[in-house]
Amino acid sequence: GKAIKSGRPQTDETVLQAQTLKLRLQDCRLCPHHATEIASILRTCSHLSEIDLSGNSLGDEGCRQLVKMLSEMSISGPLNLSNNQLSLESIIYLLHSMRTCPNIEKLEASLHQKTAVLTLANRVVTDVSCSRSYSLNDDHLSTGEGQMLATPRKICLTDNSFHDKDLKRLCSALRNCGSITELDLSNNSLGDSGILKVAKLLPVMKALHSLILNQNHISRNGVFCLVRSFSALEQMTSLHLDLEDTQSVRLSFGDRFRHKLNDEWQGELLVCPQPLIHARRFSLRGCKLVLEDVARLFEILNTSSGLSEINFSGNALNDQSIEQLLKFLPRLQSLKLLSIRNNTFSQHGVHLLANSFNLCERICEVEVRSSENAFLHFVDSKESREIHCRLIDCGVGPDDIKELCIILEKSGCLVELDLSRNCLGSDGLRCLLEHLPRIHTSCLMKVSHNGISEDGVLCLINALATHPNITEVHVSMCSEEILTITLVRENNPRKTLRLKQCSFQAEQLAQLAAMLRECLPLADFMSVNNGLTPSEAEALFKAPKKPTGILRMGIEELWVKNESLVDLLKLAAEVQGNITEVTIRRDTSLFVVEQEFPRPVKKVESVVSRMHQCELEAKGVSSLKKLIEKCHQLCALNWSEVQFTDTEAATIFGALLHFPALKRLEMTCCRISAFGIEHLAEALSQCHAIEDIKISKINLGIESLSALVNALEGKLHLKSINLAFLNLENGSALKLISRLSTLPLLRRLILNNNSLSSEVCPHLAETLKNVIHMEEINLSYNEIEDAGVKEIATAVPEMKNLKQINLSHNSISSVGGQCLVEALASSERLEELRLSENDLRRETVAKLAAILPSMHHLKVLHLSSCNIDSEGISHLAQALSECSQIQELSLSENYIGNRGVKALADGLVRSSQLKNIELKMCGITDAASKPLVSGLSCCALLEEIVLSWNALGDESTLELAEILPGMERLRILDLDHNEITDCGIRRLAEELTQCRRIQSVRLWHNKISKEMERNLSKEEPRLHFST
């Protein structure tokens, strides 16, 4: 043996490991008579960390002598007796030692592999506040023995090929191992008779959490034996049976009792433990079931209390079996999910599944994919159910529609019908539209990828115009085809029509214009890349006329990028109502006109009188007279990527910006000369009602900036200024700051990416102190540094209405950060705080943590890339436990590691309102998966979780899979760039069937095989891989 000193500090946990001994006597020709002497010597050795006696000839007697003395030895580690000519007798001795020596944590033995290893823990017995009430060998808990149950104890007896007589002895020995938590009997050729013997053990092995019986030649009789045990034992939480080539059989168990803790002392148990009710799961794969088997199986399952999930896969269920199965569903009162995978359904079988709504009033969702995979979801009571029917890629054709509609009409509460990727064609669509009047509910219908032609699309548009309950039709004929119909309960609602890449002929466009004219409730029409010419677009813009209300009409066509502004505005003048908003976005070729009805009968003399015909001609805008007459109520202009010539600038700004109702002007990424800016500034000076100005991402000179800033002076109604991405020199910035004091209602100031330095901050701070209505300040992506943020901090206490502040990416260090945080202590109304990409470090976070509990309205906190370590996160986590109102938390790109994540998880326990959390690139591994997932599971309102660019593997994925079904609001889970393999993603995909609200799981750049990606993409389209 060799003495090895431990390098760890002398703490309570490591004092027993201060000095450890390893004894290795391999291949030393030791015989049975040596065993007693070896055992006597080992009794005198303290702190043994390993004993290796493999490769000797101890035999069964030597094994018996050694294990008899185990309870008197001080061993913390493995005792290896492999290759010692051991037989079943030795296995029995080893099993007996599990009962007599509570320090044994694991037994591994295989007669075929000639292995036998005991793993022990030389631990101090401590009290256990929450464990099962089981003894080591009986139903009663003895005082000393029961205290060891907190630590898992495992037995792994694989690859032994036990005979019938041997199995009886083995089961007898196992019966006395009542404290075992995990048992693996894989690859022992147990057969159905052996499975029956093992099943009889289960009622007495009350500490068992896991039983594995893989590769044991089980047939149908063995399956039914295990199903009966599953039904009888309420503590068995799951039974997984896979009888395909490599048989997999797993049984999982939960605690029978929940011990409530005394409030005064968390270690004290109440006298009466509370029974636990488990959500239980049954899975059967690769076992072909005939009709009689289905009836027999469900008769047994019907007696299983708490059964919440049934999974079938590859069971070759025919129509008769499906029909029989569905008849049992009303009797399974606790069932939440029934899945049938890898099972070919006939067309009649698909109809049977769709009709299940009418057989069981708790079924709320039926989804059948590719006529192979079916998922039925259940609600607790029929009063709360809303029916979703998805029959995707199931070969549904025109002949099936009538029967399907009759089935769905009976349900009465259909809210979604998805018939995507079927064979409806235009005839099937017409048949579906004919039956729409019989569905009296709010409902979304999807008929994408059904071979529907443009004539079919016109039928759809006609239904929008004529059917009183259709509120929206969305058609996109591109490669990712979309055809949706939305119905609502009320008659004649506001209607929306969106058309994309429809190859309409001239005659069809004429029909479209006629339908738009007939659709009086139309509120929103959008045409995207439908190949319209300017004249065809004009015809469509002229068509609609409604008695009252707002109508928004837009087009996206390539020619919009190159069409002159004057011609586009002439097109706008063709609408029938009063123009209230004009949007031109050259970057997306978008042109939108919003109009209001009814048009006033009298002429708009108040407008035209200010600009006589001679004036119009002098300004070159006589051609826009028609437009001017329709723009007296114009309140918004939104232009993006527009290039103004000098003539256009003079014409348009001279005409349009004189209207008294204009309240919002937005110009982004526009190209305009100094001459044009001069006309814009002149026009702005006349817009006294303006409330919102956004002029961003425009290359302006100093004189142009000065002219614009001068035009802002005295705007009594101006509430919002956005000058983002303008290169404000100090002179222009100072002039702008001086004008802010003349804007009494200013609430919002956006000056991000303006090259602002610390030099302007003293002046800005003095001005902000007097802008009493200020609610939002965005100075992100500048260079104000510590000197600037200290000045801004002096103004913060004076801004009593401040709700949002963004100082991200400003080269602020911990010094400036602490100064700002001190000032924020008085900002009681603050709702959003964004300080990302600054070098704030733990000191700033510690000060922030101190004031967070007093910021009762704070909902958004962004501290990404702030050089925060695990200690800083610990401070923050403590504060978060008192900030339940926070809805959005971003801590990405801070290397907080597993220690920081564990601390954060504690803070999340009370984050009841949290909706978004970002932990991208935070150095998280599987070691932190349990606390992280536990913390996330406490956030019931979470909608988005970002965990990308970490080192999360299958362990984390399995933990996430466990909680996903309970996260009813979750929409997006981002796991990009991690270390997830096929095993983890398969489990996640299985649980995703229960998560109806999740829209996307991102899995780019993990360690998942291409074959698995292909298979799962077909099975679960919400999983997004890199292919």
Side-chain angles (χ1 to χ4, degrees):
K2 182 179 180 181
I4 303 174
K5 283 193 174 182
S6 171
R8 294 194 287 179
Q10 297 286 320
T11 66
D12 291 341
E13 295 181 358
T14 61
V15 68
L16 294 179
Q17 301 174 2
Q19 186 175 11
T20 59
L21 299 174
K22 294 183 179 180
L23 175 64
R24 295 181 180 136
L25 300 175
Q26 300 166 306
D27 299 311
C28 291
R29 300 181 181 180
L30 300 176
C31 297
H33 66 269
H34 294 120
T36 303
E37 185 178 357
I38 293 172
S40 298
I41 295 172
L42 292 177
R43 288 172 60 191
T44 65
C45 298
S46 61
H47 312 316
L48 289 164
S49 65
E50 180 184 345
I51 301 175
D52 190 343
L53 301 177
S54 61
N56 289 290
S57 303
L58 295 176
D60 295 335
E61 178 60 23
C63 177
R64 186 181 71 83
Q65 292 294 335
L66 282 169
V67 299
K68 186 171 66 174
M69 298 288 189
L70 270 179
S71 59
E72 300 178 37
M73 299 180 192
S74 178
I75 307 175
S76 179
L79 168 58
N80 192 340
L81 299 175
S82 302
N83 293 298
N84 264 289
Q85 302 175 12
L86 306 183
S87 70
L88 176 65
E89 289 295 328
S90 292
I91 291 182
I92 300 300
Y93 296 145
L94 293 171
L95 288 174
H96 179 72
S97 71
M98 294 288 291
R99 181 172 65 88
T100 58
C101 182
N103 279 358
I104 298 177
E105 290 186 334
K106 187 174 183 180
L107 163 60
E108 299 173 89
S110 170
L111 295 180
H112 186 265
Q113 301 293 335
K114 300 180 180 181
T115 58
V117 181
L118 289 170
T119 304
L120 298 92
N122 189 14
R123 56 181 175 266
V124 178
V125 175
T126 56
D127 193 15
V128 180
S129 63
C130 187
S131 65
R132 292 204 195 171
S133 304
Y134 311 128
S135 71
L136 297 172
N137 58 359
D138 205 347
D139 290 348
H140 304 288
L141 180 67
S142 59
T143 304
E145 294 167 335
Q147 291 171 339
M148 302 303 304
L149 294 180
T151 302
R153 308 189 75 209
K154 306 175 184 179
I155 294 178
C156 182
L157 303 177
T158 61
D159 205 11
N160 286 287
S161 299
F162 296 118
H163 299 296
D164 187 59
K165 184 179 178 181
D166 297 336
L167 192 57
K168 288 182 180 178
R169 293 189 64 198
L170 178 71
C171 289
S172 178
L174 285 171
R175 185 177 292 274
N176 293 318
C177 299
S179 65
I180 299 306
T181 59
E182 298 180 31
L183 177 59
D184 189 346
L185 296 175
S186 297
N187 199 22
N188 283 305
S189 303
L190 298 181
D192 293 341
S193 61
I195 291 297
L196 177 60
K197 291 180 175 63
V198 174
K200 290 180 179 179
L201 288 174
L202 296 180
V204 298
M205 301 190 73
K206 295 178 179 178
L208 199 62
H209 280 145
S210 170
L211 172 60
I212 301 175
L213 297 169
N214 297 341
Q215 302 180 53
N216 271 298
H217 308 303
I218 302 174
S219 69
R220 272 196 194 87
N221 288 333
V223 168
F224 285 110
C225 171
L226 290 172
V227 174
R228 282 192 293 271
S229 294
F230 177 74
S231 181
L233 298 173
E234 293 184 3
Q235 72 269 29
M236 192 188 301
T237 56
S238 71
L239 173 58
H240 170 84
L241 300 163
D242 185 346
L243 302 191
E244 292 187 335
D245 295 338
T246 303
Q247 287 192 353
S248 173
V249 179
R250 299 194 307 271
L251 291 73
S252 299
F253 303 79
D255 292 325
R256 299 179 86 185
F257 301 102
R258 177 190 291 113
H259 296 278
K260 292 188 176 179
L261 299 181
N262 186 293
D263 290 336
E264 295 181 1
W265 181 43
Q266 293 296 304
E268 181 179 342
L269 296 179
L270 292 184
V271 176
C272 299
Q274 304 297 312
L276 276 175
I277 300 176
H278 296 286
R280 306 174 67 201
R281 176 182 298 174
F282 170 71
S283 299
L284 180 60
R285 180 185 179 95
C287 180
K288 294 185 178 180
L289 300 175
V290 298
L291 186 61
E292 293 76 13
D293 294 331
V294 172
R296 181 182 175 191
L297 178 62
F298 274 87
E299 285 290 355
I300 300 172
L301 291 176
N302 186 48
T303 64
S304 304
S305 63
L307 180 59
S308 64
E309 184 176 336
I310 299 175
N311 297 302
F312 290 114
S313 179
N315 302 113
L317 300 175
N318 59 22
D319 290 351
Q320 291 76 21
S321 297
I322 294 293
E323 190 169 8
Q324 177 82 299
L325 180 157
L326 294 174
K327 289 179 181 178
F328 279 94
L329 296 184
R331 298 159 61 180
L332 298 170
Q333 293 298 315
S334 58
L335 195 63
K336 301 289 186 183
L337 172 66
L338 168 65
S339 68
I340 307 173
R341 294 183 173 91
N342 301 313
N343 194 101
T344 302
F345 302 109
S346 69
Q347 211 57 43
H348 180 59
V350 172
H351 288 182
L352 286 173
L353 290 166
N355 191 49
S356 63
F357 292 117
N358 301 314
L359 296 176
C360 178
E361 294 180 332
R362 289 199 311 112
I363 294 178
C364 64
E365 182 175 325
V366 171
E367 181 168 345
V368 186
R369 301 176 190 157
S370 305
S371 297
E372 290 183 1
N373 301 299
F375 307 90
L376 279 66
H377 294 265
F378 299 72
V379 291
D380 292 331
S381 64
K382 63 179 182 180
E383 288 78 14
S384 62
R385 82 165 179 171
E386 292 181 337
I387 288 178
H388 300 256
C389 181
R390 305 187 190 102
L391 308 178
I392 302 168
D393 192 18
C394 291
V396 178
D399 296 337
D400 301 306
I401 288 298
K402 187 172 182 180
E403 180 183 352
L404 190 59
C405 285
I406 292 172
I407 289 173
L408 296 174
E409 184 182 351
K410 295 177 183 178
S411 68
C413 51
L414 183 70
V415 297
E416 181 185 1
L417 174 61
D418 192 342
L419 296 176
S420 299
R421 300 186 182 278
N422 284 293
C423 309
L424 296 183
S426 297
D427 291 339
L429 177 62
R430 289 189 186 94
C431 184
L432 178 63
L433 295 174
E434 288 173 5
H435 289 81
L436 283 180
R438 302 179 186 178
I439 299 175
H440 304 290
T441 184
S442 296
C443 180
L444 174 63
M445 295 187 176
K446 303 176 183 178
V447 289
S448 309
H449 296 284
N450 266 284
I452 296 171
S453 67
E454 273 68 21
D455 284 335
V457 172
L458 288 175
C459 289
L460 204 51
I461 298 169
N462 185 60
L464 175 71
T466 58
H467 195 286
N469 300 111
I470 296 181
T471 185
E472 181 173 347
V473 167
H474 184 186
V475 178
S476 175
M477 302 295 278
C478 60
S479 57
E480 297 180 2
E481 186 176 291
I482 298 173
L483 281 92
T484 63
I485 312 164
T486 305
L487 297 96
V488 292
R489 289 186 175 90
E490 63 269 23
N491 287 332
N492 297 315
R494 288 167 49 92
K495 301 204 172 195
T496 298
L497 175 60
R498 302 184 183 278
L499 302 173
K500 183 176 181 180
Q501 292 190 15
C502 299
S503 301
F504 291 123
Q505 302 299 315
E507 183 179 343
Q508 293 169 326
L509 285 173
Q511 295 179 52
L512 172 60
M515 292 172 187
L516 293 179
R517 193 175 300 111
E518 295 293 326
C519 189
L520 298 181
L522 186 66
D524 194 342
F525 170 69
M526 190 69 207
S527 170
V528 178
N529 297 329
N530 288 302
L532 301 180
T533 65
S535 59
E536 290 169 339
E538 181 179 332
L540 292 182
F541 270 66
K542 282 182 177 179
K545 185 177 182 180
K546 54 193 298 181
T548 185
I550 297 291
L551 172 58
R552 185 179 178 86
M553 298 193 69
I555 60 169
E556 282 187 28
E557 296 289 350
L558 287 176
W559 52 263
V560 172
K561 284 187 176 182
N562 303 316
E563 197 78 359
S564 73
L565 280 177
V566 172
D567 287 340
L568 287 175
L569 294 175
K570 286 180 181 178
L571 176 59
E574 298 300 324
V575 300
Q576 300 288 336
N578 285 313
I579 298 173
T580 57
E581 182 175 344
V582 176
T583 297
I584 301 173
R585 293 184 60 94
R586 298 281 199 188
D587 53 333
T588 58
S589 302
L590 174 66
F591 175 64
V592 179
V593 179
E594 184 180 277
Q595 53 188 312
E596 185 177 11
F597 294 90
R599 286 283 313 281
V601 177
K602 63 180 182 179
K603 292 184 178 180
V604 193
E605 294 180 0
S606 59
V607 175
V608 180
S609 63
R610 287 189 275 110
M611 198 174 295
H612 298 297
Q613 185 64 27
C614 58
E615 292 182 88
L616 293 174
E617 291 175 354
K619 292 179 177 286
V621 294
S622 58
S623 59
L624 297 181
K625 179 181 178 183
K626 185 177 181 181
L627 177 68
I628 291 170
E629 291 177 349
K630 293 185 178 181
C631 284
H632 70 285
Q633 292 182 1
L634 183 71
C635 60
L637 285 172
N638 181 353
W639 289 336
S640 176
E641 299 277 353
V642 174
Q643 180 175 353
F644 293 86
T645 66
D646 287 348
T647 302
E648 287 174 334
T651 301
I652 293 166
F653 296 137
L656 295 183
L657 294 180
H658 282 275
F659 296 103
L662 188 68
K663 295 182 179 180
R664 188 173 80 250
L665 172 65
E666 180 174 335
M667 296 177 63
T668 305
C669 297
C670 293
R671 295 181 62 183
I672 184 169
S673 67
F675 176 81
I677 289 293
E678 183 181 342
H679 283 78
L680 173 60
E682 181 183 350
L684 270 178
S685 65
Q686 302 296 319
C687 297
H688 301 296
I690 196 86
E691 296 180 0
D692 188 343
I693 294 176
K694 178 181 179 181
I695 300 176
S696 66
K697 297 184 180 181
I698 299 177
N699 187 16
L700 301 178
I702 296 176
E703 292 184 1
S704 296
L705 281 169
S706 180
L708 278 179
V709 168
N710 287 334
L712 298 179
E713 186 170 9
K715 291 290 180 288
L716 301 181
H717 300 281
L718 190 60
K719 298 177 182 178
S720 175
I721 298 175
N722 185 340
L723 301 179
F725 292 90
L726 298 186
N727 188 12
L728 294 178
E729 299 290 339
N730 284 344
S732 300
L734 292 174
K735 182 174 286 188
L736 170 65
I737 290 168
S738 68
R739 298 293 185 270
L740 296 182
S741 58
T742 68
L743 310 174
L745 297 182
L746 190 63
R747 290 176 169 82
R748 186 168 178 263
L749 180 63
I750 310 298
L751 297 175
N752 60 289
N753 297 85
N754 286 132
S755 303
L756 297 179
S757 68
S758 60
E759 296 177 15
V760 302
C761 291
H763 306 278
L764 178 59
E766 287 302 314
T767 301
L768 290 176
K769 291 176 183 178
N770 299 313
V771 185
I772 60 174
H773 296 291
M774 185 64 71
E775 296 179 357
E776 178 182 355
I777 298 176
N778 185 345
L779 301 176
S780 61
Y781 288 86
N782 286 295
E783 292 292 333
I784 67 174
E785 302 176 326
D786 289 344
V789 79
K790 288 179 181 179
E791 296 292 343
I792 299 297
T794 63
V796 169
E798 306 298 324
M799 292 184 283
K800 303 298 184 182
N801 295 301
L802 190 62
K803 295 180 180 179
Q804 301 178 37
I805 185 167
N806 187 347
L807 297 176
S808 300
H809 195 96
N810 262 293
S811 301
I812 302 171
S813 75
S814 176
V815 175
Q818 292 180 66
C819 184
L820 175 66
V821 169
E822 290 173 0
L824 289 172
S826 61
S827 300
E828 297 179 355
R829 298 188 180 184
L830 196 66
E831 298 177 1
E832 297 185 14
L833 176 60
R834 303 172 191 266
L835 300 173
S836 296
E837 299 184 52
N838 288 297
D839 191 22
L840 301 182
R841 299 179 179 260
R842 74 173 70 148
E843 295 82 6
T844 302
V845 175
K847 283 202 171 184
L848 177 61
I851 67 168
L852 279 179
S854 64
M855 303 175 78
H856 302 297
H857 297 282
L858 190 67
K859 297 177 181 178
V860 177
L861 179 60
H862 283 204
L863 296 171
S864 295
S865 191
C866 286
N867 207 3
I868 305 171
D869 58 13
S870 59
E871 186 176 337
I873 289 297
S874 297
H875 292 300
L876 185 64
Q878 292 176 2
L880 288 176
S881 64
E882 302 180 50
C883 302
S884 61
Q885 81 284 354
I886 288 184
Q887 299 178 6
E888 188 174 319
L889 178 64
S890 178
L891 298 170
S892 295
E893 300 182 42
N894 290 295
Y895 194 82
I896 61 179
N898 293 332
R899 180 183 172 192
V901 168
K902 291 174 183 176
L904 178 63
D906 294 336
L908 294 178
V909 170
R910 297 184 182 179
S911 298
S912 58
Q913 301 300 310
L914 192 65
K915 295 181 180 180
N916 297 69
I917 184 167
E918 295 183 9
L919 297 173
K920 174 183 176 182
M921 206 180 294
C922 285
I924 311 171
T925 72
D926 278 347
S929 62
K930 285 185 181 294
L932 172 62
V933 172
S934 177
L936 292 175
S937 68
C938 298
C939 307
L941 301 183
L942 268 176
E943 297 177 1
E944 183 170 356
I945 301 173
V946 178
L947 296 171
S948 54
W949 291 87
N950 284 293
L952 302 177
D954 290 341
E955 184 178 342
S956 300
T957 311
L958 297 176
E959 294 287 344
L960 282 168
E962 288 294 322
I963 69 165
L964 284 185
M967 306 191 75
E968 298 181 353
R969 301 288 187 90
L970 191 64
R971 297 181 298 104
I972 296 173
L973 175 61
D974 190 346
L975 296 172
D976 285 350
H977 288 84
N978 277 287
E979 298 177 2
I980 303 167
T981 71
D982 289 9
C983 174
I985 193 55
R986 165 53 70 185
R987 184 77 176 92
L988 190 70
E990 290 174 358
E991 293 299 332
L992 205 55
T993 59
Q994 300 184 64
C995 310
R996 292 178 287 153
R997 291 184 180 271
I998 291 182
Q999 300 172 2
S1000 174
V1001 179
R1002 300 170 185 156
L1003 294 157
W1004 284 52
H1005 299 290
N1006 277 278
K1007 297 181 178 180
I1008 303 165
S1009 68
K1010 296 299 180 183
E1011 181 181 2
M1012 179 64 74
E1013 289 184 0
R1014 285 192 296 270
N1015 293 339
L1016 290 182
S1017 293
K1018 181 179 179 181
E1019 182 179 316
E1020 181 49 81
R1022 292 176 293 175
L1023 297 175
H1024 296 282
F1025 303 101
S1026 55
T1027 52

